[in-house]
Amino acid sequence: MQFDDDAQLDTSEVQDVRGSRIPGGRATIGGGIAGIIALVLGLLFGVGPENLGLSSGDQEPSVGASSVAQVQQACRTGRDANAREDCRLVAVVNSTQDFWRQEFARRGGTYRPAQTVFFTGRVNTACGAATSAVGPFYCPADQRVYLDLGFFNELRTQFGATGGPFAQAYVVAHEYGHHIQNLIGTLQRAQDGRQGAGSNAVKVELQADCYAGVWAHHATRTPDESTGRPLITSLTDEDIRDGLDAAAAVGDDRIQEKIQGRVTPESWTHGSAEQRQQWFYQGYRTGDMAQCNTFR
């Protein structure tokens, strides 16, 4: 995955609170074994920590004096995105939101942008306080995506994904898939408390995978506002394989087999490895969000 060196990154779409001290808002899930269990429950990719029984917290990420807002200082151009992981994720956020802004306009609607918050350790959100163990998540109450960049190492070491830049991009695009669901009113279907292979919780997650694929289909053709050219200049077959591999690595069946030694479809919340790959590829192949109706 390559970016246009001359593109200007829009860091206003990312709030960087890495290294900040987060007062108050104690989360009920910590590290170690409990953290791994939380990661399994929340992964990939949660819709608000309130679904994991986390405590309530501040409605805004709390930024302490130690925050250095790294992305605002270091991530200015596509060249920076080609050189740094955090800048690459800023560029992915920009590209994802460029696409959905244009797609909503094409359909006669108005897209409401969502910030991504980079944090370390723990963070307070309008959905409650969360630790890094929860994994990436979208909070509908404040319409923000929360991401500890250390998660990508766990994606490889704990779940055996091959990793790579596009595996990271898939994670971000999946979370923005939840934002799209929130805007169009389908996200609430996951809030009925049910689990299992045929549950709305699974259907919502698979649809977000499909929306991630829709973005990927258009990524190298979506013009960036700063240049009029696509921000992402190249996506290879290997990139897409990395995305598919990440989707499979966090299928409910793969995670259950790894953690408990057996597969229990009645407790699924995100879908099987095969389903997650299938729906991501459905979006990537068609490029049409209308083909992402997992509720049929």
Side-chain angles (χ1 to χ4, degrees):
M1 182 169 62
Q2 291 290 316
F3 301 91
D4 180 356
D5 281 344
D6 297 325
Q8 301 298 307
L9 301 185
D10 182 1
T11 57
S12 71
E13 294 185 340
V14 174
Q15 184 177 7
D16 187 0
V17 299
R18 289 175 294 172
S20 299
R21 294 187 63 188
I22 309 299
R26 180 183 60 84
T28 60
I29 299 177
I33 295 300
I36 294 298
I37 293 172
L39 190 62
V40 170
L41 292 175
L43 196 76
L44 194 72
F45 312 130
V47 184
E50 80 284 3
N51 292 333
L52 299 177
L54 300 186
S55 66
S56 60
D58 298 340
Q59 292 197 2
E60 297 289 331
S62 301
V63 183
S66 61
S67 177
V68 295
Q70 297 174 56
V71 298
Q72 280 73 20
Q73 296 176 13
C75 304
R76 301 183 182 276
T77 69
R79 183 174 288 104
D80 298 324
N82 285 322
R84 287 178 56 124
E85 179 186 60
D86 52 0
C87 299
R88 178 168 65 239
L89 293 171
V90 172
V92 170
V93 169
N94 290 170
S95 173
T96 304
Q97 299 212 95
D98 281 345
F99 167 69
W100 287 115
R101 188 178 295 111
Q102 294 166 34
E103 180 66 9
F104 270 55
R106 187 180 72 82
R107 293 173 175 269
T110 301
Y111 175 74
R112 229 170 26 245
Q115 276 195 327
T116 290
V117 180
F118 291 169
F119 73 97
T120 51
R122 61 179 181 174
V123 68
N124 293 327
T125 83
C127 295
T131 72
S132 301
V134 175
F137 64 91
Y138 171 72
C139 173
D142 58 24
Q143 297 189 7
R144 289 176 174 174
V145 170
Y146 290 88
L147 178 63
D148 186 327
L149 273 60
F151 164 78
F152 297 118
N153 289 329
E154 299 209 12
L155 186 59
R156 295 192 304 272
T157 60
Q158 297 289 341
F159 296 95
T162 57
F166 191 77
Q168 299 175 356
Y170 157 69
V171 171
V172 174
H174 174 101
E175 295 304 341
Y176 274 91
H178 286 315
H179 181 55
I180 299 306
Q181 292 171 321
N182 193 32
L183 295 181
I184 65 179
T186 57
L187 185 60
Q188 61 189 10
R189 297 192 186 190
Q191 306 304 309
D192 61 10
R194 298 178 182 175
Q195 297 179 342
S199 67
N200 282 338
V202 167
K203 292 173 182 178
V204 161
E205 295 298 333
L206 296 178
Q207 186 177 62
D209 282 335
C210 189
Y211 286 162
V214 170
W215 160 75
H217 176 95
H218 294 280
T220 58
R221 296 190 292 275
T222 299
D224 177 66
E225 291 183 357
S226 69
T227 64
R229 302 187 302 269
L231 175 55
I232 297 178
T233 59
S234 172
L235 278 182
T236 66
D237 291 343
E238 182 179 359
D239 289 325
I240 301 304
R241 284 195 296 271
D242 285 344
L244 288 167
D245 181 74
V250 290
D252 281 323
D253 53 342
R254 294 268 187 97
I255 292 174
Q256 289 179 341
E257 182 66 34
K258 186 176 186 67
I259 298 299
Q260 63 189 26
R262 67 185 188 282
V263 176
T264 53
E266 63 273 13
S267 63
W268 286 3
T269 58
H270 290 71
S272 69
E274 181 179 1
Q275 287 174 315
R276 301 200 73 167
Q277 286 187 318
Q278 172 193 340
W279 281 103
F280 172 79
Y281 193 73
Q282 168 87 348
Y284 178 68
R285 179 180 61 83
T286 66
D288 181 4
M289 66 183 298
Q291 300 302 313
C292 294
N293 186 1
T294 56
F295 297 94
R296 287 183 296 197

Short mmCIF file of all heavy atoms in Angstrom, two decimals, residues 8-14 90-116 143 176-177 179-180 183-184 211 214-215 218-219 221-227 229 231 289:
data_model
loop_
_atom_site.label_atom_id
_atom_site.label_comp_id
_atom_site.label_asym_id
_atom_site.label_seq_id
_atom_site.Cartn_x
_atom_site.Cartn_y
_atom_site.Cartn_z
N GLN A 8 -1.46 16.24 1.24
CA GLN A 8 -1.43 16.86 2.56
C GLN A 8 -2.37 16.08 3.49
O GLN A 8 -3.56 15.96 3.20
CB GLN A 8 -1.86 18.32 2.49
CG GLN A 8 -0.99 19.17 1.58
CD GLN A 8 0.46 19.22 2.07
OE1 GLN A 8 0.71 19.55 3.23
NE2 GLN A 8 1.39 18.89 1.20
N LEU A 9 -1.84 15.55 4.58
CA LEU A 9 -2.66 14.80 5.51
C LEU A 9 -3.48 15.74 6.38
O LEU A 9 -3.02 16.80 6.78
CB LEU A 9 -1.79 13.90 6.40
CG LEU A 9 -0.92 12.87 5.68
CD1 LEU A 9 -0.21 11.99 6.70
CD2 LEU A 9 -1.73 12.02 4.72
N ASP A 10 -4.70 15.32 6.68
CA ASP A 10 -5.60 16.09 7.54
C ASP A 10 -5.57 15.48 8.93
O ASP A 10 -6.31 14.55 9.24
CB ASP A 10 -7.01 16.09 6.97
CG ASP A 10 -7.99 16.91 7.81
OD1 ASP A 10 -7.55 17.51 8.82
OD2 ASP A 10 -9.18 16.95 7.44
N THR A 11 -4.69 16.00 9.78
CA THR A 11 -4.55 15.44 11.13
C THR A 11 -5.70 15.85 12.05
O THR A 11 -5.80 15.32 13.16
CB THR A 11 -3.21 15.86 11.76
OG1 THR A 11 -3.13 17.30 11.77
CG2 THR A 11 -2.04 15.30 10.96
N SER A 12 -6.57 16.75 11.61
CA SER A 12 -7.72 17.12 12.45
C SER A 12 -8.68 15.96 12.61
O SER A 12 -9.52 15.97 13.51
CB SER A 12 -8.46 18.32 11.84
OG SER A 12 -9.16 17.96 10.66
N GLU A 13 -8.55 14.93 11.76
CA GLU A 13 -9.43 13.77 11.85
C GLU A 13 -8.93 12.74 12.87
O GLU A 13 -9.59 11.73 13.11
CB GLU A 13 -9.58 13.10 10.48
CG GLU A 13 -10.31 14.00 9.49
CD GLU A 13 -10.59 13.33 8.17
OE1 GLU A 13 -9.92 12.32 7.84
OE2 GLU A 13 -11.49 13.81 7.45
N VAL A 14 -7.77 13.00 13.47
CA VAL A 14 -7.19 12.10 14.47
C VAL A 14 -6.84 12.89 15.72
O VAL A 14 -6.19 13.94 15.64
CB VAL A 14 -5.93 11.40 13.92
CG1 VAL A 14 -5.25 10.59 15.02
CG2 VAL A 14 -6.29 10.51 12.74
N VAL A 90 -3.21 7.72 9.89
CA VAL A 90 -3.87 9.01 9.62
C VAL A 90 -4.32 9.05 8.17
O VAL A 90 -5.46 9.45 7.86
CB VAL A 90 -2.93 10.19 9.93
CG1 VAL A 90 -3.55 11.51 9.45
CG2 VAL A 90 -2.61 10.27 11.41
N ALA A 91 -3.45 8.63 7.26
CA ALA A 91 -3.79 8.65 5.85
C ALA A 91 -4.94 7.71 5.53
O ALA A 91 -5.81 8.03 4.70
CB ALA A 91 -2.56 8.27 5.01
N VAL A 92 -4.98 6.55 6.18
CA VAL A 92 -6.09 5.62 5.98
C VAL A 92 -7.40 6.24 6.46
O VAL A 92 -8.43 6.13 5.79
CB VAL A 92 -5.81 4.28 6.68
CG1 VAL A 92 -7.07 3.39 6.67
CG2 VAL A 92 -4.66 3.55 6.01
N VAL A 93 -7.36 6.89 7.62
CA VAL A 93 -8.55 7.58 8.11
C VAL A 93 -9.01 8.62 7.10
O VAL A 93 -10.20 8.72 6.76
CB VAL A 93 -8.28 8.23 9.48
CG1 VAL A 93 -9.41 9.18 9.88
CG2 VAL A 93 -8.09 7.17 10.56
N ASN A 94 -8.06 9.42 6.59
CA ASN A 94 -8.39 10.43 5.59
C ASN A 94 -9.03 9.81 4.35
O ASN A 94 -10.06 10.28 3.86
CB ASN A 94 -7.15 11.20 5.16
CG ASN A 94 -6.57 12.11 6.22
OD1 ASN A 94 -5.48 12.64 6.05
ND2 ASN A 94 -7.28 12.32 7.32
N SER A 95 -8.43 8.73 3.85
CA SER A 95 -8.93 8.08 2.64
C SER A 95 -10.32 7.50 2.87
O SER A 95 -11.21 7.63 2.02
CB SER A 95 -7.96 6.98 2.20
OG SER A 95 -8.51 6.22 1.13
N THR A 96 -10.49 6.84 4.01
CA THR A 96 -11.78 6.23 4.33
C THR A 96 -12.88 7.28 4.38
O THR A 96 -13.96 7.12 3.79
CB THR A 96 -11.70 5.47 5.67
OG1 THR A 96 -10.65 4.51 5.60
CG2 THR A 96 -13.00 4.75 5.97
N GLN A 97 -12.59 8.39 5.05
CA GLN A 97 -13.62 9.42 5.19
C GLN A 97 -13.83 10.18 3.88
O GLN A 97 -14.95 10.61 3.57
CB GLN A 97 -13.28 10.35 6.34
CG GLN A 97 -13.22 9.60 7.67
CD GLN A 97 -13.64 10.43 8.86
OE1 GLN A 97 -14.79 10.38 9.28
NE2 GLN A 97 -12.70 11.18 9.41
N ASP A 98 -12.78 10.35 3.09
CA ASP A 98 -12.96 10.94 1.75
C ASP A 98 -13.95 10.11 0.95
O ASP A 98 -14.86 10.65 0.29
CB ASP A 98 -11.63 10.99 1.00
CG ASP A 98 -10.73 12.14 1.42
OD1 ASP A 98 -11.23 13.08 2.08
OD2 ASP A 98 -9.52 12.10 1.10
N PHE A 99 -13.76 8.78 0.99
CA PHE A 99 -14.65 7.92 0.21
C PHE A 99 -16.09 8.02 0.69
O PHE A 99 -17.01 8.22 -0.10
CB PHE A 99 -14.21 6.46 0.24
CG PHE A 99 -15.28 5.54 -0.28
CD1 PHE A 99 -15.61 5.55 -1.63
CD2 PHE A 99 -15.99 4.71 0.57
CE1 PHE A 99 -16.64 4.74 -2.12
CE2 PHE A 99 -17.01 3.90 0.10
CZ PHE A 99 -17.33 3.92 -1.26
N TRP A 100 -16.31 7.87 2.00
CA TRP A 100 -17.68 7.85 2.48
C TRP A 100 -18.35 9.22 2.35
O TRP A 100 -19.56 9.30 2.09
CB TRP A 100 -17.73 7.36 3.93
CG TRP A 100 -17.47 5.89 4.04
CD1 TRP A 100 -16.41 5.27 4.64
CD2 TRP A 100 -18.28 4.84 3.49
NE1 TRP A 100 -16.50 3.91 4.51
CE2 TRP A 100 -17.64 3.61 3.81
CE3 TRP A 100 -19.47 4.81 2.77
CZ2 TRP A 100 -18.18 2.38 3.44
CZ3 TRP A 100 -20.01 3.58 2.40
CH2 TRP A 100 -19.36 2.39 2.73
N ARG A 101 -17.58 10.29 2.45
CA ARG A 101 -18.14 11.62 2.22
C ARG A 101 -18.67 11.72 0.78
O ARG A 101 -19.78 12.21 0.55
CB ARG A 101 -17.06 12.67 2.48
CG ARG A 101 -17.56 14.11 2.46
CD ARG A 101 -16.43 15.06 2.78
NE ARG A 101 -15.92 14.89 4.13
CZ ARG A 101 -14.73 14.39 4.44
NH1 ARG A 101 -13.90 13.99 3.48
NH2 ARG A 101 -14.35 14.29 5.69
N GLN A 102 -17.88 11.24 -0.15
CA GLN A 102 -18.29 11.31 -1.55
C GLN A 102 -19.40 10.32 -1.87
O GLN A 102 -20.30 10.61 -2.66
CB GLN A 102 -17.06 11.06 -2.44
CG GLN A 102 -16.01 12.16 -2.34
CD GLN A 102 -14.68 11.78 -2.94
OE1 GLN A 102 -14.62 11.06 -3.94
NE2 GLN A 102 -13.59 12.26 -2.35
N GLU A 103 -19.38 9.16 -1.24
CA GLU A 103 -20.41 8.16 -1.47
C GLU A 103 -21.76 8.63 -0.93
O GLU A 103 -22.80 8.46 -1.59
CB GLU A 103 -20.02 6.83 -0.82
CG GLU A 103 -21.02 5.70 -0.98
CD GLU A 103 -21.19 5.23 -2.41
OE1 GLU A 103 -20.41 5.65 -3.29
OE2 GLU A 103 -22.11 4.42 -2.66
N PHE A 104 -21.76 9.23 0.25
CA PHE A 104 -23.01 9.76 0.79
C PHE A 104 -23.56 10.87 -0.10
O PHE A 104 -24.76 10.94 -0.36
CB PHE A 104 -22.79 10.29 2.22
CG PHE A 104 -23.02 9.27 3.29
CD1 PHE A 104 -22.35 8.04 3.29
CD2 PHE A 104 -23.91 9.51 4.33
CE1 PHE A 104 -22.56 7.10 4.28
CE2 PHE A 104 -24.13 8.57 5.34
CZ PHE A 104 -23.45 7.36 5.31
N ALA A 105 -22.66 11.75 -0.58
CA ALA A 105 -23.10 12.83 -1.46
C ALA A 105 -23.68 12.27 -2.75
O ALA A 105 -24.69 12.77 -3.27
CB ALA A 105 -21.93 13.77 -1.77
N ARG A 106 -23.05 11.23 -3.29
CA ARG A 106 -23.54 10.61 -4.52
C ARG A 106 -24.94 10.04 -4.33
O ARG A 106 -25.77 10.05 -5.25
CB ARG A 106 -22.58 9.50 -4.97
CG ARG A 106 -22.90 8.89 -6.32
CD ARG A 106 -21.90 7.80 -6.67
NE ARG A 106 -22.09 6.62 -5.87
CZ ARG A 106 -23.00 5.67 -6.11
NH1 ARG A 106 -23.84 5.81 -7.13
NH2 ARG A 106 -23.08 4.61 -5.34
N ARG A 107 -25.22 9.60 -3.12
CA ARG A 107 -26.53 9.02 -2.82
C ARG A 107 -27.52 10.06 -2.28
O ARG A 107 -28.60 9.71 -1.84
CB ARG A 107 -26.37 7.88 -1.80
CG ARG A 107 -25.62 6.68 -2.35
CD ARG A 107 -25.34 5.64 -1.27
NE ARG A 107 -24.72 4.44 -1.82
CZ ARG A 107 -25.39 3.38 -2.26
NH1 ARG A 107 -26.72 3.37 -2.19
NH2 ARG A 107 -24.77 2.34 -2.76
N GLY A 108 -27.12 11.32 -2.31
CA GLY A 108 -28.03 12.38 -1.88
C GLY A 108 -28.06 12.62 -0.39
O GLY A 108 -28.96 13.29 0.13
N GLY A 109 -27.07 12.10 0.34
CA GLY A 109 -27.01 12.28 1.78
C GLY A 109 -25.84 13.14 2.20
O GLY A 109 -25.08 13.65 1.37
N THR A 110 -25.68 13.31 3.49
CA THR A 110 -24.57 14.08 4.05
C THR A 110 -23.83 13.22 5.06
O THR A 110 -24.43 12.70 6.01
CB THR A 110 -25.08 15.36 4.75
OG1 THR A 110 -25.79 16.16 3.81
CG2 THR A 110 -23.91 16.17 5.31
N TYR A 111 -22.56 13.07 4.84
CA TYR A 111 -21.72 12.27 5.72
C TYR A 111 -21.27 13.11 6.91
O TYR A 111 -20.85 14.26 6.76
CB TYR A 111 -20.49 11.76 4.97
CG TYR A 111 -19.50 11.01 5.83
CD1 TYR A 111 -19.76 9.73 6.27
CD2 TYR A 111 -18.28 11.60 6.20
CE1 TYR A 111 -18.85 9.03 7.06
CE2 TYR A 111 -17.36 10.91 6.97
CZ TYR A 111 -17.66 9.63 7.40
OH TYR A 111 -16.76 8.95 8.18
N ARG A 112 -21.36 12.55 8.11
CA ARG A 112 -20.88 13.19 9.31
C ARG A 112 -19.55 12.55 9.69
O ARG A 112 -19.51 11.36 10.00
CB ARG A 112 -21.89 13.01 10.45
CG ARG A 112 -22.22 14.28 11.16
CD ARG A 112 -23.37 14.23 12.13
NE ARG A 112 -23.71 12.97 12.75
CZ ARG A 112 -24.87 12.35 12.53
NH1 ARG A 112 -25.76 12.82 11.70
NH2 ARG A 112 -25.13 11.22 13.16
N PRO A 113 -18.44 13.29 9.66
CA PRO A 113 -17.14 12.68 9.93
C PRO A 113 -17.00 12.22 11.37
O PRO A 113 -17.68 12.72 12.27
CB PRO A 113 -16.14 13.80 9.60
CG PRO A 113 -16.92 15.05 9.73
CD PRO A 113 -18.33 14.73 9.34
N ALA A 114 -16.10 11.26 11.58
CA ALA A 114 -15.80 10.72 12.91
C ALA A 114 -14.31 10.81 13.15
O ALA A 114 -13.52 10.50 12.26
CB ALA A 114 -16.27 9.28 13.02
N GLN A 115 -13.92 11.22 14.33
CA GLN A 115 -12.51 11.23 14.69
C GLN A 115 -12.04 9.84 15.08
O GLN A 115 -12.82 9.02 15.58
CB GLN A 115 -12.26 12.18 15.86
CG GLN A 115 -12.06 13.63 15.48
CD GLN A 115 -11.45 14.41 16.63
OE1 GLN A 115 -11.68 14.15 17.80
NE2 GLN A 115 -10.64 15.40 16.29
N THR A 116 -10.76 9.60 14.86
CA THR A 116 -10.09 8.43 15.44
C THR A 116 -9.20 8.93 16.57
O THR A 116 -8.49 9.93 16.42
CB THR A 116 -9.25 7.70 14.39
OG1 THR A 116 -10.11 7.06 13.45
CG2 THR A 116 -8.35 6.65 15.03
N GLN A 143 -19.33 9.01 18.57
CA GLN A 143 -19.00 8.84 17.16
C GLN A 143 -17.50 8.96 16.92
O GLN A 143 -17.02 9.71 16.06
CB GLN A 143 -19.78 9.84 16.30
CG GLN A 143 -21.27 9.63 16.37
CD GLN A 143 -22.05 10.45 15.38
OE1 GLN A 143 -21.50 11.12 14.49
NE2 GLN A 143 -23.36 10.41 15.49
N TYR A 176 -14.78 2.20 10.77
CA TYR A 176 -15.57 3.22 10.08
C TYR A 176 -16.81 2.60 9.44
O TYR A 176 -17.81 3.30 9.23
CB TYR A 176 -14.70 3.99 9.07
CG TYR A 176 -13.99 5.12 9.76
CD1 TYR A 176 -12.73 4.94 10.32
CD2 TYR A 176 -14.61 6.36 9.92
CE1 TYR A 176 -12.09 5.96 11.00
CE2 TYR A 176 -13.98 7.40 10.60
CZ TYR A 176 -12.73 7.19 11.13
OH TYR A 176 -12.11 8.21 11.82
N GLY A 177 -16.78 1.29 9.18
CA GLY A 177 -17.99 0.61 8.77
C GLY A 177 -19.05 0.69 9.85
O GLY A 177 -20.25 0.88 9.57
N HIS A 179 -19.28 3.15 11.94
CA HIS A 179 -19.76 4.54 11.90
C HIS A 179 -20.82 4.72 10.81
O HIS A 179 -21.84 5.38 11.04
CB HIS A 179 -18.58 5.48 11.65
CG HIS A 179 -18.96 6.92 11.62
ND1 HIS A 179 -19.63 7.55 12.66
CD2 HIS A 179 -18.79 7.89 10.66
CE1 HIS A 179 -19.84 8.82 12.35
NE2 HIS A 179 -19.34 9.04 11.15
N ILE A 180 -20.60 4.10 9.67
CA ILE A 180 -21.60 4.17 8.60
C ILE A 180 -22.90 3.54 9.08
O ILE A 180 -24.00 4.10 8.87
CB ILE A 180 -21.09 3.44 7.34
CG1 ILE A 180 -19.81 4.10 6.81
CG2 ILE A 180 -22.17 3.42 6.26
CD1 ILE A 180 -19.94 5.60 6.57
N LEU A 183 -24.72 5.92 11.26
CA LEU A 183 -25.34 7.02 10.52
C LEU A 183 -26.61 6.60 9.80
O LEU A 183 -27.56 7.39 9.70
CB LEU A 183 -24.34 7.60 9.51
CG LEU A 183 -23.09 8.29 10.09
CD1 LEU A 183 -22.21 8.83 8.96
CD2 LEU A 183 -23.46 9.41 11.05
N ILE A 184 -26.65 5.37 9.31
CA ILE A 184 -27.82 4.94 8.54
C ILE A 184 -28.82 4.14 9.37
O ILE A 184 -29.88 3.77 8.87
CB ILE A 184 -27.41 4.14 7.28
CG1 ILE A 184 -26.74 2.82 7.66
CG2 ILE A 184 -26.50 4.96 6.39
CD1 ILE A 184 -26.34 1.97 6.45
N TYR A 211 -18.34 -3.29 4.39
CA TYR A 211 -18.12 -1.87 4.12
C TYR A 211 -16.63 -1.55 4.03
O TYR A 211 -16.22 -0.68 3.25
CB TYR A 211 -18.76 -1.03 5.23
CG TYR A 211 -20.28 -0.94 5.16
CD1 TYR A 211 -21.02 -0.55 6.27
CD2 TYR A 211 -20.97 -1.25 4.00
CE1 TYR A 211 -22.41 -0.47 6.23
CE2 TYR A 211 -22.36 -1.17 3.94
CZ TYR A 211 -23.07 -0.79 5.06
OH TYR A 211 -24.44 -0.71 5.01
N VAL A 214 -15.74 -2.39 0.58
CA VAL A 214 -16.24 -1.37 -0.37
C VAL A 214 -15.25 -0.22 -0.45
O VAL A 214 -14.89 0.25 -1.54
CB VAL A 214 -17.64 -0.88 0.05
CG1 VAL A 214 -18.05 0.34 -0.77
CG2 VAL A 214 -18.67 -1.99 -0.10
N TRP A 215 -14.80 0.25 0.72
CA TRP A 215 -13.79 1.32 0.70
C TRP A 215 -12.54 0.88 -0.05
O TRP A 215 -12.01 1.63 -0.88
CB TRP A 215 -13.41 1.74 2.13
CG TRP A 215 -12.09 2.45 2.15
CD1 TRP A 215 -11.84 3.73 1.74
CD2 TRP A 215 -10.82 1.88 2.52
NE1 TRP A 215 -10.49 4.01 1.85
CE2 TRP A 215 -9.86 2.89 2.32
CE3 TRP A 215 -10.43 0.64 3.01
CZ2 TRP A 215 -8.50 2.68 2.60
CZ3 TRP A 215 -9.09 0.43 3.27
CH2 TRP A 215 -8.14 1.44 3.07
N HIS A 218 -12.58 1.15 -3.78
CA HIS A 218 -12.53 2.51 -4.35
C HIS A 218 -11.29 3.29 -3.92
O HIS A 218 -11.11 4.43 -4.39
CB HIS A 218 -13.78 3.28 -3.93
CG HIS A 218 -15.06 2.74 -4.49
ND1 HIS A 218 -15.49 3.01 -5.77
CD2 HIS A 218 -16.00 1.93 -3.92
CE1 HIS A 218 -16.65 2.40 -5.98
NE2 HIS A 218 -16.97 1.74 -4.89
N ALA A 219 -10.47 2.73 -3.03
CA ALA A 219 -9.42 3.51 -2.38
C ALA A 219 -8.46 4.17 -3.37
O ALA A 219 -8.05 5.32 -3.17
CB ALA A 219 -8.65 2.63 -1.41
N ARG A 221 -9.06 5.13 -6.29
CA ARG A 221 -9.75 6.01 -7.24
C ARG A 221 -10.48 7.17 -6.56
O ARG A 221 -11.12 7.98 -7.22
CB ARG A 221 -10.77 5.20 -8.06
CG ARG A 221 -10.13 4.15 -8.94
CD ARG A 221 -11.13 3.53 -9.90
NE ARG A 221 -12.13 2.73 -9.20
CZ ARG A 221 -11.97 1.46 -8.85
NH1 ARG A 221 -10.83 0.85 -9.13
NH2 ARG A 221 -12.92 0.78 -8.24
N THR A 222 -10.39 7.23 -5.24
CA THR A 222 -11.06 8.30 -4.50
C THR A 222 -10.16 9.52 -4.42
O THR A 222 -9.08 9.47 -3.82
CB THR A 222 -11.40 7.82 -3.07
OG1 THR A 222 -12.28 6.69 -3.14
CG2 THR A 222 -12.07 8.94 -2.28
N PRO A 223 -10.55 10.64 -5.03
CA PRO A 223 -9.68 11.82 -5.03
C PRO A 223 -9.56 12.44 -3.64
O PRO A 223 -10.53 12.51 -2.89
CB PRO A 223 -10.37 12.79 -6.00
CG PRO A 223 -11.80 12.34 -6.04
CD PRO A 223 -11.78 10.86 -5.82
N ASP A 224 -8.35 12.86 -3.31
CA ASP A 224 -8.09 13.56 -2.06
C ASP A 224 -8.32 15.06 -2.27
O ASP A 224 -7.99 15.61 -3.33
CB ASP A 224 -6.65 13.30 -1.62
CG ASP A 224 -6.28 14.05 -0.38
OD1 ASP A 224 -6.85 13.75 0.68
OD2 ASP A 224 -5.42 14.95 -0.46
N GLU A 225 -8.88 15.70 -1.26
CA GLU A 225 -9.23 17.12 -1.41
C GLU A 225 -8.00 17.99 -1.62
O GLU A 225 -8.08 19.02 -2.30
CB GLU A 225 -10.00 17.60 -0.18
CG GLU A 225 -11.40 16.99 -0.07
CD GLU A 225 -12.17 17.53 1.12
OE1 GLU A 225 -11.59 18.34 1.88
OE2 GLU A 225 -13.35 17.15 1.29
N SER A 226 -6.86 17.61 -1.07
CA SER A 226 -5.68 18.48 -1.15
C SER A 226 -5.03 18.48 -2.53
O SER A 226 -4.38 19.47 -2.90
CB SER A 226 -4.64 18.07 -0.09
OG SER A 226 -4.06 16.81 -0.40
N THR A 227 -5.18 17.41 -3.27
CA THR A 227 -4.51 17.31 -4.57
C THR A 227 -5.45 17.04 -5.74
O THR A 227 -5.08 17.26 -6.89
CB THR A 227 -3.45 16.18 -4.56
OG1 THR A 227 -4.12 14.93 -4.36
CG2 THR A 227 -2.43 16.41 -3.45
N ARG A 229 -6.08 14.13 -6.49
CA ARG A 229 -5.64 12.80 -6.88
C ARG A 229 -5.90 11.83 -5.73
O ARG A 229 -6.01 12.25 -4.58
CB ARG A 229 -4.13 12.79 -7.20
CG ARG A 229 -3.71 13.76 -8.30
CD ARG A 229 -2.24 13.54 -8.66
NE ARG A 229 -1.34 13.69 -7.53
CZ ARG A 229 -0.77 14.85 -7.18
NH1 ARG A 229 -1.03 15.96 -7.86
NH2 ARG A 229 0.06 14.91 -6.14
N LEU A 231 -5.36 9.62 -2.66
CA LEU A 231 -4.34 9.61 -1.61
C LEU A 231 -3.60 8.28 -1.61
O LEU A 231 -2.38 8.23 -1.42
CB LEU A 231 -5.02 9.85 -0.25
CG LEU A 231 -4.17 9.76 1.01
CD1 LEU A 231 -2.97 10.71 0.93
CD2 LEU A 231 -5.01 10.09 2.23
N MET A 289 -22.12 -0.69 -1.54
CA MET A 289 -22.60 -0.91 -0.19
C MET A 289 -23.96 -1.58 -0.18
O MET A 289 -24.33 -2.21 0.82
CB MET A 289 -22.62 0.40 0.61
CG MET A 289 -23.59 1.43 0.12
SD MET A 289 -23.49 2.99 1.10
CE MET A 289 -23.94 2.43 2.75
#
